[in-house]
Each structure stands twice: as structure tokens, then as C-alpha cells.
Amino acid sequence: MIRVAIFLGYLIVMSALTVQVAWTTLVFTNPEKAREISLGTDDGIFVSSVKNKVVMGSLAGNRNLEFGVQNILDEFIVEEKDLVLNPYAIKTIEVEILYLDVLKTQSNLSVFHKNTESVVIRMRGKLLNKGKVIKTIVVEESADEVSMSTLLIDEGGKFNQASLSIALKKSCGSVINKLLN
């Protein structure tokens, strides 16, 4: 009797391991198929990719920018929209960073100087349902830094970290709001 119980326990464990190995193989070889097979609840969403398509400037092709935007998008979905991040969700979001630059505006009157630097970011977002594009939007946001002085001192054209962060958060919020509303 004990041998039969041990044998049945062995069969149960081996069959569970077989299913786990098959599922893991499917997830890594064909994630779209795994997404279809999984529970795929409607309450979850997943940011499947963020691509940096910026071609000029210091942040062109920067992978850290992609990871940063991915984290901001994930945080916005969870905190602001109260949605569940589910890597196997039916609805997915893809984002492309199209443009990122500093625009300068200067005003001078005698020794008075006013300088406005705007970090401008443009993103394209796509909402997909089961791999089919439902909605595509393009957003452009900016963050301004204004400096005034009586002497002309100019560092010019460099990214201010605070302005960049504000512009990224504003644009990520706009992408999520426009895609999910």
C-alpha cells in the first residue's frame, strides 16, 4: 500500500514538472501564444515595448532612456489608472520615443537677459488588443526652465535633469491617458 502511494505521488510530481517545463518553454519561445493560452483577463494591461527612435543628440539610441520610460509608464498605469500589470494580458501598449531635444528662446535688453529652455519630447503610443492595433496616438510635451539675469551667462543646449524628468513624466501620463480613455 505504501509503495502504491509513493508511486502515485511520484507520478503527480513528474506530471506537474512536465507541465511546468512545457509552459516555460512556450513562454520563452512563443510569448504571443502563451498570452493567448493564459488566463488573459481583461483587467490587466502590459507595456510590451518602449523603443528609442531619437536620431540626433546625446540621448539618441540610449537604452537607459527606454528603461526609464518603461518604468514611468508602469508606475503611471498602477498608481493613476489602478490597473494590474500582467505580462500575459490581452491588452498591450507599445511606445516609441520620436523626438527629444532642448529648444532655446532668448530675450536680451541691454544687460538684462531672459533665457527659456524647453525640453521637448514627442512619443507615439499604440494600444493593442490580442496583437491588433486598436488606437495610435502621438503626444508632445515640454518642461520649461526660465532664467533671468543682468549678465549674459549661457551654458546652452544641455539637458537639465529636472526638466527632462518632468517632460518624461508629462508625456508618459499623456500617452496613457489618451490611449486608455
Side-chain angles (χ1 to χ4, degrees):
M1 188 70 177
I2 294 176
R3 288 183 181 175
V4 172
I6 292 173
F7 180 70
L8 287 176
Y10 174 77
L11 284 178
I12 291 171
V13 169
M14 292 309 291
S15 61
L17 287 174
T18 304
V19 169
Q20 186 177 5
V21 167
W23 178 253
T24 304
T25 304
L26 179 65
V27 166
F28 285 112
T29 57
N30 193 349
E32 292 302 320
K33 187 68 174 173
R35 189 172 283 125
E36 285 178 23
I37 293 173
S38 70
L39 298 176
T41 59
D42 271 346
D43 64 342
I45 195 161
F46 185 63
V47 180
S48 62
S49 69
V50 175
K51 295 183 181 152
N52 185 353
K53 302 281 184 162
V54 177
V55 293
M56 291 176 47
S58 61
L59 295 174
N62 189 330
R63 295 278 295 153
N64 291 335
L65 181 62
E66 293 175 5
F67 292 128
V69 170
Q70 174 97 29
N71 290 337
I72 294 170
L73 290 168
D74 289 346
E75 180 182 329
F76 196 85
I77 288 170
V78 172
E79 297 295 324
E80 300 293 326
K81 293 296 183 180
D82 290 329
L83 294 172
V84 177
L85 286 177
N86 178 3
Y88 304 111
I90 293 171
K91 289 184 180 177
T92 58
I93 294 176
E94 294 178 358
V95 175
E96 296 174 341
I97 305 166
L98 303 174
Y99 178 80
L100 180 63
D101 203 1
V102 176
L103 301 178
K104 290 183 67 172
T105 307
Q106 293 184 359
S107 302
N108 296 319
L109 179 63
S110 185
V111 293
F112 178 75
H113 163 76
K114 179 182 176 188
N115 186 17
T116 304
E117 290 186 356
S118 299
V119 175
V120 178
I121 184 166
R122 190 176 302 132
M123 293 183 178
R124 177 185 301 132
K126 295 179 187 175
L127 178 63
L128 293 90
N129 190 359
K130 296 182 182 176
K132 295 180 183 176
V133 177
I134 298 173
K135 194 178 207 182
T136 302
I137 54 103
V138 175
V139 298
E140 182 174 310
E141 293 289 343
S142 65
D144 300 329
E145 178 185 8
V146 178
S147 64
M148 290 187 238
S149 66
T150 55
L151 296 173
L152 182 61
I153 301 170
D154 188 12
E155 299 281 325
K158 296 179 182 173
F159 285 106
N160 178 335
Q161 196 65 33
S163 296
L164 178 60
S165 178
I166 291 168
L168 285 173
K169 287 180 181 178
K170 285 171 70 176
S171 59
C172 288
S174 294
V175 166
I176 296 301
N177 283 332
K178 288 184 178 182
L179 284 176
L180 299 180
N181 288 340

